[in-house]
Every structure is written in structure tokens, then in C-alpha cells.
Amino acid sequence: MQEKKGKSRVLRISKAELFPKEKVIFSPPRLLWGRKNINKRGYYFSLDAFLAASLLLLGLFLVSSIYVKEQTITANYFAQDSMRILSGLTLAQANNSFINALISNGTISDSNMTILEQVGAFWAGNRTFLARQMIENITAELIPGNYGFAVYADGELIYSNNKSLVSSQVVSKEIVSGITKDKPFKGYSSKIVLTSIQARTTSSYSYFGGFTGEGNISQKLVLPSKVSKIKDAYIEADSSNNFTLYINSFYSGTYIKGSSGGGEMKADKWLLNSSYLSGFTNGTNRINISFSGTGYIAGGYLKVTYNTAELNDTEIVYFQSATMATKREWLPGINGVINLYSSLYAPGNITAMAAHLHYKSDFLTYLTIGNTTVLSSQGSGDQVKDMSDTELASKLNYTFISEKTVPVRIGSGSGNQTITGQGTADIVLASDASGSMEWCSGTVCSTSLKPPAKYCNTIANYRPENGTYCDWWIENYTLPNTNQVCSARWHAHCTSNDTRKIDIALNASKLFAGTVLGTIGNKLGTVEYTNPWDSVIPANGTWGQRFAPFPESIVGRQNLTSNNTAISQHLDKYLDAYWGTCICCGVVESVDMLTKLSNSSRKRAIVIMSDGEATDKCTGVGTGNAKADAIKAAQDACTNYNITVYTVGFGTDVDAETLQAMAACNGSYYNATDVQQLANVYKQIADQLVAISYSAQQINATGTGNFTSILYDDSYIEINYTPSSAIGFSSIPITLETERFGNNVTYGNLNVPDNTTVAAVRVTSYSGDKWTDNMTVSNSASYNSYSLVGWGGDYTLLGDPFIVDAQANIFRTGANTITISTGLAPANYTGGSIDDRAIYTLNVDASTSYTTSLAKSEGCAWEASFEDGTNATIKIPASYNGSKQCSYEGAAYDADDAFDVSAYWLFQKLDLEKNGKLNVVVSQEDLQLTTATVQNVPSLWGPAVIEARLWQ
């Protein structure tokens, strides 16, 4: 080799110094993101410059010695610069004959890619032989023949000149994004937008208020203009009476209260006969409910399920844009006495309101929105009241009532015509009339003063109430005459400062009656029970005849009445002390009274008191044991007739275990061990029964004049508001229902699927004769969505919503817990109904984002199943005529086809239950899909690590 002159000097480097044995030197990897427009002058050699530099380096390699540090640096930079050539030089700049040939024949489509990118693309596409040939052509003149050189991608060998490793090697790495094995470096990307559909199955609802009545009812139910098929119709209601349903004046069935799951704070549920569906029409439908007598509905709704091709018809909104919407809340028609407790809701900021009331009334009629009476008008005959925004805005705080469930109340009453609430309870007080009830209540009464059972005589058993004596000693006694039957009352055995238990019970029973009957509408009956005393009596001084004065063990029975005087007189006559204790007999007689003289629309209850143990069994109950018969009779009253059973233990000798087991249907056991506390216990039970049965929403009209009034169903409240959220382009609203909450706490869960947004949530609340007063929503946070107390402490002045609307934006993807309660006042909370549920609307995004870069975009014939039970074959794209079959339910499709992937993504969004069935029906005949496919899209795979290894 010729030595350089001047300041140059010959460097002699030995092989051992250049490549110390087993020493591997790594240069740090550098990241290469896609194609970079690199200023080659700033960072890289041109090809000629690099060749010149390479010759210089090769000359240096031939010299015989240098310091080890210089040797290591030289080898390291040589490896790095080799990688820089590959990563920095484009295919066009390489001016290589092999590369030019690949460009010419179309194997390479983008000459602006770097050599390293193209090598990676060949490797990722399983064309490693082309990557190997390209590296060989580029590096053949760069790498001296006595050096080993190899290139790896993610550890896989792409190229090697097959030189053996003698000493150490130098490694240089580059990271290249967008490539990975078996994935295209560039390919196809697709997206799908569903712009129209053949059909979707959804429902329209017409809701009743928390109390709608009293009288025949008419309401509107609106169906969209493009209903293709009515699938079914369903009604559920907590009604006070049987009713007949008319749809657009066509008879549509008669429905019997209590025949289909109804009861206290529970709805009867009926699916309408399919023959009635033809009565519905597109547009506005008029629904009429005609009661058998006076009636009302305390919550419920009519639901019509149908197929439609419209994408959005979930709200009866007359105009809606991103900035303004107008919603009309139609009021029900009421023909009888106007008495409505309901609500309204605007899902955004209210900007204006108006009201139109059309009614017929001869006395004061008022409208209360929230806690503000916006109309109070005394008139006569047919009347129309229109309230403008100016008038309503002066009385209502629009900001305060926006996005809130607002109670609405429409009622009547004036002057000498009084409309108040009333009770709905039918109660039987069953009292123990056994012999031990004669015992004294206090400790001053000694055991010696509690005589054993003894026979009557004409002196000790004088009955002052009718001036006669009772006497068992009647010869040839055949027919019991209770006026002649002796009780076990011994008038002289308690001291002056002590009281017999029977007298305490008598006074407490009268107090109980006064409390229950103090509320108009409640009724009370009494039963006094002992046992038959089926014994033998003496005849002519000898024992012989059977004696059973009370064959059914019932001393007396006062049927249900609202007359407190009648109750008091009956108790004075019949509440006395006789013989044994047939507790089951008292229960059976009480049930008989309630089932014959009351009905399931009333709050029915039995309060049974005993001072001892059950001594007699009941043949009709059939357990064969007196105590078991008592328990079964009480539990059967609950199970079979929804009768609440309260039990009271009176005194120290009670069988508490049996009485506790008898309490049923939310009844309780009360222990009056201190007999003086019986009055307090009775008062406590009476107050509770009055509270839970009080129907403050039902009208009790007194006074003079004509109480008949009519609210016409063309009345409405109209709201203008700015929507808090707008329905997005290509969004499809789908209305669903949760399961019934099924508990009286009451709480339930609403699960929001992925890829959906909540548009509306309405929670039903069967409050009976109480008010729905609170609702919370809990997920990652807790929200008080509704609170009646915020409108005032006197619930009787406020409306009662059956539908509680919740703000849509408080719901989160996943589980959301809803808790709802009822009450009569702010401090008087009770649970809700087992029939409560959420009815909610989800906005489903019916479009997909672009797929990643995939190898092909051909399409497929898809098999799809729908929630309505139908199936369809859908070609995506519509022009597809191949033989490939795909299945959404079976998740069978080509994951390398951009069309297939975007179609599968769309179907996933339309499958809300994630059960392989789509909630929206699409078919080939009228499915309109907008598909966009982009070719030669750089992929987002990888990154891959490319290594260049140099050794000697």
C-alpha cells in the first residue's frame, strides 16, 4: 500500500488490536419513524463520499498497528456508517441496478422509501429473498471480502456473507416503525358509516302520572310516521278498579284489577291481544280508559313495540337542533274529578315555556309546577286558560327547574267544597277472650285470688247490661244462647287499685278503633275468640248433655265498619273472658271477614292479640297441632291474600315464639309484657297502619255543589330548551328496559355498554298513595338525581312523578346503581316498589374508525342474526360477488381484510347485549353503507429492530 505524504502517516493496525477476541461492541439504537425527508448533507455521506471514505477506512484497516482505543472507535463508526447508508439513503438515491430493476417491474412501488424500510417491508411480507439480494447488492462493494457482515430483523437472519467469526464483532441497530412479521408494510384501510337501515325494533310509551284520576282517563301515544309493523302492545298499571281499554275508539279489552300481579304499590301487567293491534295508527293515537265505577291509576304506562326505518324517533320533539328544542308534555284527559299528580322534565336549559289548559269545572282549579302555583282560577263551565312565557317566566325560575324532574299538580276545591285525602285500610282486631284474660294485671292480685275454673251460678253471673242472669243449668239445653252463657268474670277478686287484663284490653281496643277510624276511608272489624269448650253439662243435676256454646270458637264478630260507636258498643258486649285459646280460629275468622268484605285494592291487615298459648287446633288448617295451625293460618293470610299480620303478646305468660312466627307480610310482633303498655302498643300499630294506608292523593269530597269536572286531553305544557347533548351524525337511539328492581328498598342496576352514550334514563316509581321523594345514582361517584324535599316540606301540595328522569351525563360505562324511595313527608321515608325499573335510551355510534393497514380489501358475505329472531345475509361491500362467507355471531371473518374488519367492528357496536345478535335490523335489499378504502396506508405495526453486525 502506498503511504500518504505530507502530514499523513501510515497507521499499522494488527488484527488482534482491531478486533480483540470475544469483545462485542454495541452502538445505541436510533429510532426511524416512517419516511423522513433527511438533509443528507447534514447527516449522511453521499454514495460517492461514502465510497471514498470506505476506501480510506480500508486503507487504514491494512496498516499494521494502532492503539486499542483507536481500533475500537474505528470499528464502531464503520458499523454505524454502514447502517446510516441503509437507513438514510432512499431507493432512488441509491442508483443501484438491482433496485432500479425492481422499481421498473413494479416490485417496488415507492422509490422514496429508504433502503432499510424496503428491506423491512420485504421481510415483513415473507419475501426475505428479495431483502437478502438487496442488501447483498448494496454492500458488496462496501464491505471488504475479509470481513464478516450480516443483517438481522427482530433476531431473524436476513443476510450474511457467511464469514466465520474470528475475533469480536460490532453491532449497530435501527428501530423501524410500521413493520412486523407477516403484516403488510403498506396496505388498505376501511371504515363504514351506516346511513340508513331497513328496520329497528323500538317502543313508544304513554306514561300515567303518580296519580291520575279520579274518573275515566284519556291519553295520547305518538308513533312515528314510518312504522312498518306493530309487534305488540303492553299495559301495566296500579289501578283502583277494573277498566275497559279503547284504542282510537276501538274496544281493546277489559282488564280486571288484581288479576295479573297487581297489589299494593304493584302493577297488574297485561299483554294486549294481537287482534287489538290494528287499532293503532302512525302519528297520534288516543287511548281511553273507562272504569267500572270511579277509578284512578297510581302509576303505569302503555307501551307499543314496533319496527321502523327511522333512525331517531325517541322523543316527541317538534323541532330540534344543536342549539334549540321544543317539547310538548301532553296532559291526560280526566272525566270525573280533576286530580292529577305528575311531573315534567326538560333535558337541557329551559329558555321559554307556555301552557294550555282546557277544562270544565264549577269550582276552583289550580296548576302547580314545582312548588309554585302558576294558575288558580274560579269559574264555571267550559274554560280555556293559556299562559304565555312572559307569565310563566315571572313565576318560575327556569334555571332552577332545568334538567330536573319537576313535580306537577292539577287539582280542585273551593269554599264549602272540601277535597282531602283519605285512608284505604281495612283492619280486623282479633282479641283473646280466654279465661286467663280475667286475671288481675298487677302483683296485688295473689295466686289465691286467681281461682280455678268454676261453674256459674245465678248470683255471681248477673249481667248488668241487660238485667238478666246467665245460667248453664238449663234442663234440656239444646241451642246455645250467648245471652245466657256465662263468662269467667269474677267481679270481687281484684283489689281496688288493680285492673283485670280484660278491662285493659277493652280500653286499649277502643283507643285502637278511635285511631284507625279517625282517618276517613278506613274501616275496622273485630273478632273475639276463645275455644268451643265442647264439654258435658249437668241435666237435672247429673252430667249428660254436650255443651258447645261457641262451635267455631268465636265469641263475637263485628263486620268492617267506619262507625266507631258501633265498634265501641260491640266491644262492651262481647270482649269478655271465657275458656281456652284457639288462636288459629281468630285468624281464620278475620281472614273470612277481609276476603268477603274487602278487596285487594285496600290495605288489609289483622292485629291478633293473645295472653297465652294456643290450646285448640283448626280442622281447616290441618297441621294437627294448635301452635302450628296458628302459624300456618297467619302465613296463609299473607301468601294467599296479601294480608299483613301483626301479633301482640299480652302479659307474662305469652307464647312469644309462636306469635313471632305468625307475623307476616311486613307485619311485626309486639311484646306487651307489662300489660299496662297494651294501649301504647295498639296506638303504635294503629298509627303505622294509618300512615301506610293513607291516600292523600285520593279525593274525599264534602260539601254542596256539583263536584264533576273534566280536564280535556288537548291540554299541554310546552317547553323550549337548549339540549344538553345532541344526537351525533350516524348515531342510532335504542330504547331498552332494565329488569324490575324486585325489592322494596328499592334499588336496581343499569349497565351501560361500551361504545354507547346515554341519551335518557327514566325510572318508574309505583308510589301508591305516597309520593316518590328521592332518587340517587351511584357509579364511580354518587349523585342525588331527585329530591322532593327540595320543593317543600308539605308533600300534599306537590305533584308526584311516576317517571323520574335522571340526567344522562351522570351515567358511566359499566354498572350504575339506582336507588329510589317514597314517603308521606320528609321524615317519613319508605321503600319503593318491586315493580320499579329503568327505561333508558342509548345512542349507538353506527360508524367505525379506519382500520389499521391490512393486506387486502375484498369483502365478504356476512351472516347476521337480530334480536327480533330474524336473520340476513349482508354483502359488504354491496358489489362483493365472491364466495367467502363470514359470520358475526361465530366471529368468523378475515382479519387481514379491511372490509371484513370494519364490518365486524360495526356489528359489535350494534350488538348491545353482546350475545351475537344485532339490535338494529339491516338487510341487503335496502342497506346503505358508505365505505371508504384507502390504499398504500403506512401501517402502525412494530416497531422492528434491524441489526447490522460486522466482524473479522
Side-chain angles (χ1 to χ4, degrees), residues 575-590:
L575 186 51
D576 216 330
Y578 292 88
W579 308 295
T581 311
C582 184
I583 298 178
C584 62
C585 298
V587 175
V588 170
E589 189 73 10
S590 300

Side-chain angles (χ1 to χ4, degrees), residues 205 220-222 313-318 326-328 330:
Y205 294 79
K220 290 181 171 63
L221 184 144
V222 179
D313 60 351
T314 57
E315 287 287 346
I316 306 172
V317 177
Y318 289 89
T326 299
K327 178 181 180 182
R328 184 168 288 181
W330 292 103

Side-chain angles (χ1 to χ4, degrees), residues 219-408:
Q219 295 208 165
K220 290 181 171 63
L221 184 144
V222 179
L223 295 175
S225 60
K226 295 182 180 180
V227 171
S228 57
K229 179 183 178 181
I230 301 289
K231 295 176 66 66
D232 60 61
Y234 165 90
I235 188 170
E236 67 173 63
D238 181 5
S239 64
S240 65
N241 210 338
N242 306 335
F243 63 87
T244 300
L245 177 68
Y246 296 88
I247 301 170
N248 294 318
S249 300
F250 293 102
Y251 172 81
S252 301
T254 297
Y255 302 90
I256 307 302
K257 175 177 173 56
S259 65
S260 190
E264 182 186 359
M265 295 177 66
K266 294 192 297 183
D268 282 300
K269 308 157 189 75
W270 298 283
L271 185 67
L272 272 63
N273 188 288
S274 60
S275 63
Y276 302 141
L277 301 183
S278 59
F280 291 102
T281 63
N282 295 356
T284 301
N285 295 265
R286 195 165 187 265
I287 311 302
N288 290 87
I289 291 178
S290 179
F291 288 101
S292 302
T294 302
Y296 60 85
I297 290 180
Y301 56 85
L302 175 66
K303 177 177 75 170
V304 177
T305 301
Y306 56 88
N307 288 343
T308 179
E310 290 190 5
L311 289 178
N312 178 27
D313 60 351
T314 57
E315 287 287 346
I316 306 172
V317 177
Y318 289 89
F319 176 81
Q320 180 160 358
S321 67
T323 58
M324 194 274 283
T326 299
K327 178 181 180 182
R328 184 168 288 181
E329 298 275 4
W330 292 103
L331 299 174
I334 300 171
N335 189 344
V337 177
I338 300 173
N339 190 25
L340 175 67
Y341 294 77
S342 191
S343 62
L344 60 82
Y345 178 78
N349 293 322
I350 297 175
T351 57
M353 293 181 66
H356 172 80
L357 261 63
H358 180 194
Y359 61 93
K360 184 177 182 180
S361 175
D362 291 337
F363 48 95
L364 182 70
T365 300
Y366 57 91
L367 166 64
T368 300
I369 299 177
N371 54 7
T372 302
T373 299
V374 297
L375 171 69
S376 180
S377 177
Q378 177 75 50
S380 62
D382 198 88
Q383 302 171 64
V384 174
K385 299 294 182 182
D386 287 304
M387 285 167 280
S388 67
D389 176 58
T390 301
E391 182 179 357
L392 292 176
S394 67
K395 299 176 180 180
L396 299 172
N397 183 337
Y398 288 171
T399 300
F400 182 76
I401 66 176
S402 294
E403 290 194 277
K404 289 182 180 178
T405 298
V406 182
V408 172

Side-chain angles (χ1 to χ4, degrees), residues 13-30:
I13 308 172
S14 67
K15 294 179 181 179
E17 292 173 326
L18 181 59
F19 298 112
K21 190 173 182 180
E22 301 301 325
K23 184 175 182 181
V24 180
I25 303 167
F26 293 92
S27 64
R30 296 179 293 110

Side-chain angles (χ1 to χ4, degrees), residues 432 434-436 529-533 553 579-585 610-618 624-630 655 658:
D432 188 338
S434 64
S436 57
Y529 66 91
T530 178
N531 73 338
W533 196 359
S553 301
W579 308 295
T581 311
C582 184
I583 298 178
C584 62
C585 298
S610 176
D611 77 330
E613 296 183 357
T615 60
D616 290 72
K617 55 185 180 288
C618 297
N625 177 274
K627 295 181 180 181
D629 273 2
D655 179 5
T658 297

Side-chain angles (χ1 to χ4, degrees), residues 132 160 251 263 287 427 541 596 647 741 756 773 810 813 889:
R132 182 168 56 250
S160 174
Y251 172 81
I287 311 302
I427 305 164
K596 290 179 178 178
T647 57
F741 292 169
T756 64
D773 64 356
I810 67 178
T813 299
E889 190 169 5

